[in-house]
Amino acid sequence: MSRAILARRIAIAVAALLVVVLGIVAVLAVTWVRRPFPVTEGEMKVPGLQGKVDVVRNDKGIPQIYADSSDDLFRAQGFVQAQDRFFEMDLRRHITSGRLSELVGEGGLETDRVIRTLGWRRVAEAELPTLKPETRRYLQAYSDGVNAYIHQQGTPSKMSLEYVVLGQKVPDYRVEDWTPADSLAWLKAMAWDLRGDYSDELMRARLAGTMSLAQINELYPPYPYDTNKPILSAQDWTPTTSNATNGSANSALPFAAPATTGKAAKVAEAVKDAKATDPELTAERSPAAEQAYAAVSRALRAVPVTVGRGDGIGSNSWVVGGSRTSTGKPLLANDPHLGVSIPGIWYQVGLHCRSVSSSCPFDVAGYSFAGLPGVVIGHNQSIGWGFTNLGPDVSDFFLEQVRGNTYLRDGKQEPLTMRTETIKIGGGGEQTITVRSTAHGPLLSDALDKVAEAGDSPLVNSRTSPGDYEVALQWTGIEVNQTADAIFGLNTAQNFQEFRAAAKDFAVPAQNLLYADTAGNIGYQAPGSIPIRSRYMEGAPGFWIRPGWVSSWDWKGKVPFDEMPWSYNPPEGFIVAANQAVTESGSPFLTTEWDYGFRSQRIRSLLEKNTKVTPATMSQIQGDVRSQFAPTLVKALLKVDLSGDDFTKQAQDLLRKWDYTMPVGASDAGAAAAYYNAVWSSLLDLTFDDELPKDLRADGGDQWMQAMTQLLTKPRSAWWDDKRTAGVAEGQSEILRKALVDARLDLTRELGKDPSDWQWGELHTLTLQHQVLGGDDVPGVVRALFNRGPIELPGGSAIVNANGWDASQGLDDASRSKAFKVDWAPSMRMVLDFSDLDRSRWVNQTGNSGHAFSDHYNDQSEAWAKNELYDWPFSRKAVDAAGGDELVLVPGTTS
């Protein structure tokens, strides 16, 4: 569920407060806005501290924290992050615990029902005792620090302006103490947003009832290994003997298909063989099954976007060895592409033991999550690391034959596992639901079905009768894991061996981990909890919904960590990990749903042009706005004969000398970019959207670009017929012509008659929107308190400067301009310089503060939009030289 949908539901739920808000805004602006701002200078007492802690905040409000013990360090981190971001932390824990309704009222009910069904909080609580003792201690110290802040402030209105507004609907809201499970549950939300394949698996199942397998497979073409290189080449990494030979020890371990083998043929063969062996699998296409799939789609839309995910969303990271840099030491760049919001995803922080030792091993700085101790991405005194989403297939939907409160399993009716959950509603009332699960996981298809509520008798879904179906979700993210251990392991690792040892615990969300160190080494590791699939899908992707009533379709364990790809000081001298395929063949079974490599290959080509890469070059590459796909489409568009249509040809001519870049401001390139993207939006609608369900429309990301690349070589494909024009079969040339014509008309209405005046930046804007109080259904005076923007942005989807937009948006409006609004982007940027870590540079998407009207609410946004970076002092000498506010935290007693 997008932030806009979440805001709309909450706005409806708090409708009663909106009239009140209009009358109190003036009072809020004067009385309440500054009340929650943190104290950043002087001395404060914090219960539980054993010694003095220094908190030095620079001119951007970024704290560097200095302590004599690990416990004091994390206790101070909890206190400081709560000072700056507590409402965000509280909102996150309510979402991840399925308790959003307590905070916002009835508008949170659907979200709570689905998340209670998934059981994020239950898993977090089960996970806590399995973690290392020191990890549990750090989590508790962090919680103690947050609670010191909560008790110090006393009332919600002293913690954040949002509580004042929401308090009009939920006046009796009280803030609870923070717990370690609150921090761990946030990892589940992160894993949910960044898991791979689930949406495509469901999409395939829904389309299978309406179109041929061949036509579906044209939407998912093979990865273009011939043009876009994987992360690791054959010489970079060689599989171990056990996973290279498919020997008896790993006979169930599936492998990626060779580059020359298309997915379509492999999957078609697997499904054909499966149905020949199991005739009952034809039930997967029954009306009851399709109804269950639709119910799952509805449930998935009810889950809020927390980190941010969508087709086309990815991240950039690359590392260059000293032999190829101007400094003689490695350089590492990272910019994760996530959802956009205010405050942004990341909180910048430094965590420093005054004397680094085995008992206090931390000297680290980087990007953290408010609500989670430690640093997620950054560097310590010896090594640095970056993340991009690996995107493995870590979830499967299982179609289950349900009868009453039992389900079919190897010819027998097994009892469903059931539990009740009571959801409290802020402002009064509660709702009790029953969560039902099979051996594979919770029945997500009945998460929003009211007859599954406790108290109804019998507890049977209204769709369910003998032979009917539900859909269970099996996902590694709701299994107990030790990812929290991995974060602290990365923070303290001093070399590549220790880095890999920490990565072994990084279960979900699986990430591409890039590495560099001050000794001059670079490396890569793919970690994660990756299912081994068996039977019909051995050697083929796991992207079809599986029959739950036959146990041989179950997962058969997880890919061993030693079988996962890694590389250390590769001969090429650099590594690019931007969500593309990891290896060309012979790798462990990860997925076939890679990003198609437009960004990664552009990064590679820019690096290859530089014999000595400078830190400035690394930053320039992060801001690159050239489209790798545009030359393919433009070549086809310029072949379209527009004789007799000078009006459209005037716009078409913009593309003839275009350099395929997408800048902001008035320029020939900006005018061409505006027209090109409008044509692309129209083309997607004409080719794909006429046959796709409304909620599955093409968003225009890399998958659709690669699909179009293939379709341009297949003029007879069924996709070239617009099914909305009865009795007419357009064909490729007519669809391309119509896309050119429609885009010309759209932009004339939106930007004016003269194409030379068009600007991409006027269409491609970002409004930084508050997740709860920033939506269109909230009164403008309230939105103005919390939202910022719009900001004109360059770049676009599948471009290195990936300010992404969703082409499926705005199609029902009079104008398509809504489609070009930015809804994912680089969440931060950093460039690490291992010749001198004090010369590293960074920038955040918004700012470090979550308080509206704080100087640091969005004080980095302008620089971020321009691809500018700030100095990142790391050593105490450099931090002190940079200056700023200093707060001293000292031991205190509980009041």
Side-chain angles (χ1 to χ4, degrees), residues 693-757:
K694 184 176 180 179
D695 61 322
L696 298 180
R697 287 169 171 170
D699 68 8
D702 65 284
Q703 172 202 340
W704 302 98
M705 295 178 186
Q706 188 62 23
M708 183 58 66
T709 298
Q710 299 298 311
L711 286 185
L712 289 171
T713 68
K714 300 177 180 180
R716 297 181 183 275
S717 170
W719 290 109
W720 290 114
D721 178 24
D722 186 351
K723 296 298 190 293
R724 294 168 295 201
T725 54
V728 177
E730 285 84 359
Q732 184 184 97
S733 60
E734 175 58 18
I735 291 293
L736 291 173
R737 186 198 68 80
K738 194 171 188 315
L740 289 163
V741 171
D742 289 350
R744 171 47 153 140
L745 293 172
D746 286 344
L747 291 194
T748 299
R749 287 189 294 265
E750 195 71 26
L751 300 177
K753 187 175 181 179
D754 186 351
S756 65
D757 292 336

Side-chain angles (χ1 to χ4, degrees), residues 315-336:
S315 303
N316 299 324
S317 67
W318 64 96
V319 62
V320 184
S323 64
R324 299 182 62 102
T325 70
S326 62
T327 66
K329 286 293 179 75
L331 297 170
L332 188 153
N334 192 196
D335 54 288

Side-chain angles (χ1 to χ4, degrees), residues 420-421 431-434 450-460:
T420 59
E421 298 273 352
Q431 185 177 108
T432 302
I433 66 171
T434 293
K450 291 185 178 179
V451 300
E453 295 175 16
D456 289 346
S457 183
L459 295 178
V460 179

Side-chain angles (χ1 to χ4, degrees), residues 155-217:
T155 62
S157 66
K158 293 182 180 179
M159 299 178 195
S160 185
L161 178 60
E162 288 91 337
Y163 290 117
V164 179
V165 178
L166 291 172
Q168 307 305 308
K169 174 65 176 177
V170 188
D172 58 346
Y173 179 72
R174 296 293 180 267
V175 174
E176 295 180 358
D177 278 1
W178 193 267
T179 71
D182 292 329
S183 296
L184 294 178
W186 172 240
L187 292 174
K188 305 308 171 188
M190 182 173 69
W192 176 264
D193 278 3
L194 299 178
R195 71 202 183 286
D197 187 61
Y198 81 100
S199 58
D200 291 326
E201 183 174 330
L202 194 60
M203 181 174 177
R204 284 181 174 93
R206 292 176 62 186
L207 295 181
T210 61
M211 62 183 63
S212 69
L213 183 63
Q215 190 176 0
I216 294 172
N217 282 324

Side-chain angles (χ1 to χ4, degrees), residues 318 331 606-607 610 612-622:
W318 64 96
L331 297 170
L606 292 172
L607 290 174
N610 287 272
K612 291 295 180 181
V613 178
T614 68
T617 301
M618 300 286 278
S619 180
Q620 290 164 7
I621 293 174
Q622 288 180 324

